[in-house]
Amino acid sequence: MSDAIADDLPSFRRELNSWLDDNEGELRLGHVGHPTLDEDLAQFTHIKRALFDAGWGRHGWPVAVGGLGGSSMLRAVVGEEIATRDLAEPGMWSMIEVLAPTVIAYGSPALIAEMIPPLLRGDETWCQGFSEPNTGSDLASLSCRATAVEGGWSVSGQKVWTSFAQFAERCVLLTRTGEPGSAHRGITALFVDVDSPGITARPIEIQNGTLEFCEVFFDDVFVPNERILGAVGQGWQVAMDVLPYERSTAFWHRGAYLHHRADQLIATVAGIAGADGAAAVDTGQARLLGEAFQAVMAFRCRSRATQHRLAGGGQLGAETSIDKILIATAEQTLFNAARDVLPGVIEFDDDAEAQRLRWEFLYSRAATIYGGTAEIQRNIVARRLLDLGSE
Amino acid sequence: MIDPDDLALLATSFAAAMSRAPGAAEADDALHDLGWGELLAHAPLQGAAAAFSALGVTGSAACLLDDVAANALGLPVSASACVVLPAPSFSRQPAERRGQSIHIDGLVSARIDRSDRAMVAVSDGSVVEVDAALLRTTDVIALDPQRPFRRLRVDVCERDVVVLARAGSWDTVILRARAAVAHQLVAASRVMLDQATQHAVDRVQFGRPIASFQAVRHRLADALVAIEGASAVTEMCAEDECDPLMATMARSLAGAAARTTAASAQQVLAGIGFTTDHPFHLSLKRTMVLDTLFGSARTLPTEIGNALLAIGGAPRLIEL
Ligand SMILES: Cc1cc2nc3c(=O)[nH]c(=O)nc-3n(C[C@H](O)[C@H](O)[C@H](O)COP(=O)(O)OP(=O)(O)OC[C@H]3O[C@@H](n4cnc5c(N)ncnc54)[C@H](O)[C@@H]3O)c2cc1C
């Protein structure tokens, strides 16, 4: 990594924070109690627009797509400060950090010049159509079919658990273009307009009560040739490249969100202890908080090295499965601690704070499921990092 | 600030010297000949990173923690410097005044056998020097066959000690010792994981290597994840400055990683790992002993939690 970038980060952060301080009032839309998904999306769109217009949201993105250039670490810093101020729902934020770099890497220059700026500006929402009813961990088995037609492709099939599809303007879609048994060789990635005729997105309620993801049906949907990401048959590589992006700036952002929640939880417990007088916190509670924080820090230190490697031009690969396991562990350890140090709050209370904790506790159960399950990550660690050969 | 490549070279040459030395005392001497004492004075955290990683890799019983503690207290460092360490899983000073006597409850390294005097930190903040003969214990059998540390419970008379002038504080000892032991635990854990991984690939059951069984693979993967998490935090303790909380977490996570790794490696090595023909038991015992130094994987999370509650929040500690 060039020292110039690192030297610059503290002042970049300082200036960003003073801008955020100055504009705090306008940056936050109001809502009563725990926000609904619609309110989260409105807030997300609002903050993206404000950051883009002020330039902060353009740092770390290539000039060719409306960015101001510079290291990806600038993006990580922006994400971190936004998370620390609770100015954006972390799942929505990560979608951009994950999908935009992939589309930039595989889309045509004309496509990315047209499509990325509105995304960065918060004018659009995108989604990721990988999973299918019969295709979860074994992504290479996907069957949503794309057939060559005049000038492009006709897509028919179904996706599922597609986060934010009901709000999305575009979808990065994996399709089967090879023979049915062609596994990872016969997959093609398409960049699809979600308002194309033949697409139906039906929201599914998730266990925390929100309608975060959808089942999406494709019935003879036309996608022009210009919308192929990479080449025909290169879809597997596109999908595999999504992962390192997920594990760089998006993870740093999510780690910052967890750090902030740890901060709030500790302040809450310290506040209760202070109000109750001497030594209200028993050692069991202190221990749970300590374990949660050290898990958050293990991820932070690991991810810090990953961010530096990426910004220095390094390739990210299988070793980021360790980052993935560490952040999932941190998230679940933290919310497990919240459940136990604040007995009954998640289970029974109804104020905005309790609703948030309940919502987030339930969501944290997915940390070992999405983006490749905990078991799939361990398979990768065993095969690629420990050289244990095949199963 | 020493260049990371130079630091890695140092660790390699330290490890080579430790491997050549027939015993702990010879390893102590070899390290001091290589300039370990000066390195410690010049760059204490980085120096400890290099030397304690080497200890972990080689399994050497060299008594370098005495040097770390002496240096942190601003006392002279040499191959015969001996500093009494805290009682198992504690980190406060090992001694306290009780009337006319000083009650010592701690650990002492094998250096005690070759030193004339030992330095003992007392709970009132003073450091006293005691005739080593008063602290030499009769040989007892303990877990680690090389006995790098021994348990010490003794009362000495006030008139038998000399109060030393010192520059450093006990808090500095705790920070530096935790960082040092964390480096050793991480390196020793990697040794155990390597042993188990190699065995998994070589050992055939049911007509295939046991490495092909997912139950085996996931145990080893969990060990690697624990080690890498601990290692990432421990690396942050080799920088110029290190927050005490960071050193505490490094030590805590490294202890936990050693426990996870030892359990996984033991299970994967199974019968052969249960014998003294296989070297695994040495790492198991050494890491158990190390995880009693300046706290343990069991006690440290509580200390971290209490520190955070006293702050009233979760500091970032490091930035990008
Ligand atoms: C909150 C959330 C958001 C999501 N968002 C999206 C999205 O936007 N777009 C999208 O495409 N998908 C999304 N998903 C889907 C997600 O990617 C899948 O759930 C995930 O890949 C796992 O697939 P599955 O649920 O079918 O589980 P399965 O693959 O059926 O696995 C079931 C269980 O078997 C285990 N298992 C499977 N294979 C192996 C193996 N080889 N070795 C050991 N164990 C194995 C798994 O670890 C798991 O425990 C989301 C999921 C969640 C929970």
Side-chain angles (χ1 to χ4, degrees):
Chain A
M1 189 206 54
S2 86
D3 283 342
I5 296 169
D7 290 348
D8 222 15
L9 281 184
S11 51
F12 180 81
R13 183 191 302 282
R14 231 182 351 265
E15 284 175 41
L16 170 64
N17 273 319
S18 79
W19 182 82
L20 289 169
D21 286 340
D22 292 346
N23 296 280
E24 179 85 37
E26 296 95 85
L27 293 175
R28 204 182 295 278
L29 300 177
H31 57 79
V32 179
H34 185 68
T36 63
L37 197 58
D38 288 322
E39 285 167 338
D40 269 339
L41 187 68
Q43 170 64 32
F44 174 70
T45 305
H46 181 69
I47 190 75
K48 285 305 285 185
R49 164 61 66 85
L51 288 168
F52 188 91
D53 288 348
W56 299 109
R58 300 168 66 197
H59 287 285
W61 295 104
V63 176
V65 299
L68 297 171
S71 160
S72 59
M73 293 221 276
L74 300 174
R75 259 159 53 206
V77 168
V78 173
E80 180 173 32
E81 299 306 333
I82 293 300
T84 302
R85 291 164 186 262
D86 263 323
L87 283 169
E89 200 284 314
M92 294 178 180
W93 185 276
S94 72
M95 203 54 105
I96 291 188
E97 294 292 326
V98 170
L99 293 179
T102 310
V103 172
I104 291 170
Y106 290 96
S108 69
L111 182 73
I112 65 177
E114 180 191 352
M115 293 296 168
I116 301 286
L119 177 73
L120 299 184
R121 211 187 300 127
D123 295 347
E124 288 197 353
T125 300
W126 292 7
C127 64
Q128 174 181 334
F130 287 15
S131 304
E132 299 179 5
N134 292 318
T135 291
S137 299
D138 185 11
L139 189 57
S141 72
L142 65 88
S143 61
C144 181
R145 179 100 220 141
T147 317
V149 292
E150 177 71 34
W153 299 80
S154 164
V155 179
S156 288
Q158 187 191 339
K159 293 288 166 179
V160 76
W161 306 317
T162 319
S163 297
F164 312 122
Q166 71 272 42
F167 305 114
E169 278 80 13
R170 324 280 165 194
C171 179
V172 175
L173 185 73
L174 293 184
T175 61
R176 169 81 43 211
T177 46
E179 291 305 306
S182 58
H184 54 272
R185 292 179 307 280
I187 295 171
T188 300
L190 298 175
F191 186 73
V192 179
D193 296 340
V194 181
D195 65 359
S196 306
I199 299 182
T200 320
R202 259 210 303 268
I204 305 172
E205 184 173 312
I206 64 173
Q207 63 177 6
N208 66 11
T210 37
L211 300 171
E212 177 187 301
F213 52 46
C214 293
E215 48 184 354
V216 187
F217 300 90
F218 296 80
D219 181 17
D220 191 17
V221 176
F222 177 71
V223 182
N225 277 327
E226 306 85 76
R227 294 301 192 82
I228 297 173
L229 297 175
V232 174
Q234 210 189 359
W236 184 252
Q237 194 185 324
V238 175
M240 292 303 102
D241 271 15
V242 166
L243 296 182
Y245 293 126
E246 181 204 40
R247 287 154 196 196
S248 52
T249 49
F251 266 19
W252 187 258
H253 170 77
R254 194 160 193 89
Y257 149 75
L258 296 177
H259 209 119
H260 178 50
R261 289 290 178 259
D263 186 57
Q264 291 172 314
L265 179 62
I266 289 157
T268 301
V269 177
I272 295 169
D276 284 9
V281 180
D282 66 44
T283 55
Q285 285 178 308
R287 182 178 173 191
L288 291 173
L289 293 174
E291 283 172 349
F293 186 62
Q294 71 182 13
V296 169
M297 274 319 277
F299 167 76
R300 184 173 174 86
C301 293
R302 170 81 185 181
S303 181
R304 181 178 182 269
T306 302
Q307 309 301 327
H308 280 260
R309 220 167 54 250
L310 183 75
Q315 289 291 314
L316 303 185
E319 76 289 345
T320 58
S321 283
I322 290 185
D323 303 41
K324 170 81 180 157
I325 297 171
L326 288 173
I327 197 171
T329 305
E331 181 157 348
Q332 295 185 350
T333 308
L334 174 63
F335 286 105
N336 289 348
R339 177 191 185 189
D340 288 330
V341 298
L342 302 172
V345 169
I346 287 174
E347 291 85 349
F348 302 109
D349 287 4
D350 196 34
D351 54 283
E353 178 71 8
Q355 285 183 34
R356 178 177 65 66
L357 265 182
R358 177 149 60 232
W359 196 101
E360 293 183 335
F361 175 89
L362 290 170
Y363 200 84
S364 71
R365 305 300 101 177
T368 45
I369 299 173
Y370 56 66
T373 70
E375 289 72 30
I376 296 302
Q377 303 310 323
R378 281 164 177 79
N379 291 349
I380 295 169
V381 170
R383 176 82 198 249
R384 306 272 306 278
L385 304 180
L386 289 171
D387 277 330
L388 291 176
S390 53
E391 276 178 41
Chain B
M1 190 77 189
I2 303 169
D3 180 77
D5 293 339
D6 294 343
L7 207 60
L9 276 177
L10 268 173
T12 311
S13 68
F14 285 167
M18 289 172 190
S19 304
R20 276 194 305 270
E26 291 82 358
D28 274 7
D29 289 336
L31 265 276
H32 281 276
D33 287 348
L34 281 172
W36 150 245
E38 294 79 51
L39 177 65
L40 200 53
H42 169 63
L45 284 169
Q46 287 189 298
F52 281 75
S53 298
L55 283 178
V57 170
T58 59
S60 164
C63 304
L64 307 185
L65 208 52
D66 296 76
D67 299 324
V68 170
N71 174 253
L73 287 169
L75 296 169
V77 171
S78 77
S80 61
C82 184
V83 181
V84 176
L85 302 172
S89 92
F90 284 91
S91 47
R92 58 169 182 257
Q93 291 98 332
E96 61 183 23
R97 283 176 209 278
R98 289 186 181 170
Q100 290 308 299
S101 67
I102 293 179
H103 176 69
I104 303 174
D105 180 3
L107 293 168
V108 68
S109 82
R111 282 251 178 107
I112 195 71
D113 292 339
R114 56 196 311 231
S115 308
D116 297 332
R117 13 199 92 256
M119 298 170 259
V120 187
V122 186
S123 58
D124 63 9
S126 62
V127 178
V128 299
E129 197 173 57
V130 184
D131 186 339
L134 296 173
L135 305 186
R136 268 181 215 128
T137 51
T138 48
D139 260 359
V140 291
I141 296 166
L143 176 69
D144 187 328
Q146 293 192 58
R147 300 179 66 234
F149 304 100
R150 300 139 198 214
R151 193 76 169 88
L152 185 68
R153 290 189 201 85
V154 66
D155 289 288
V156 293
C157 280
E158 184 88 60
R159 61 171 190 285
D160 288 337
V161 309
V162 179
V163 176
L164 296 173
R166 47 140 194 106
S169 76
W170 188 251
D171 285 345
T172 309
V173 175
I174 296 176
L175 187 160
R176 303 243 182 100
R178 283 181 175 166
V181 175
H183 281 285
Q184 187 173 356
L185 278 166
V186 165
S189 298
R190 288 194 198 279
V191 170
M192 293 191 282
L193 180 57
D194 285 348
Q195 289 170 353
T197 303
Q198 189 60 51
H199 181 71
V201 172
D202 294 341
R203 174 76 173 166
V204 173
Q205 286 295 287
F206 299 97
R208 50 194 179 121
I210 57 167
S212 66
F213 299 118
Q214 199 174 61
V216 168
R217 299 163 81 84
H218 284 195
R219 285 208 83 141
L220 298 177
D222 284 337
L224 182 63
V225 171
I227 292 171
E228 293 299 354
S231 173
V233 177
T234 304
E235 289 302 316
M236 292 296 131
C237 301
E239 308 268 328
D240 274 347
E241 285 171 26
C242 169
D243 189 283
L245 196 51
M246 191 70 103
T248 305
M249 283 189 286
R251 171 66 189 78
S252 175
L253 287 161
R259 290 178 187 218
T260 301
T261 308
S264 296
Q266 180 103 63
Q267 192 62 18
V268 170
L269 289 164
I272 186 67
F274 208 68
T275 69
T276 51
D277 292 341
H278 193 285
F280 168 73
H281 75 107
L282 295 172
S283 300
L284 168 70
K285 292 165 183 172
R286 179 62 51 80
T287 53
M288 283 177 69
V289 166
L290 293 174
D291 195 28
T292 69
L293 300 176
F294 291 86
S296 76
R298 174 77 200 184
T299 62
L300 289 168
T302 307
E303 184 183 324
I304 293 162
N306 282 323
L308 295 168
L309 287 167
I311 297 168
R316 281 188 186 167
L317 297 178
I318 47 147
E319 296 289 6
L320 257 186

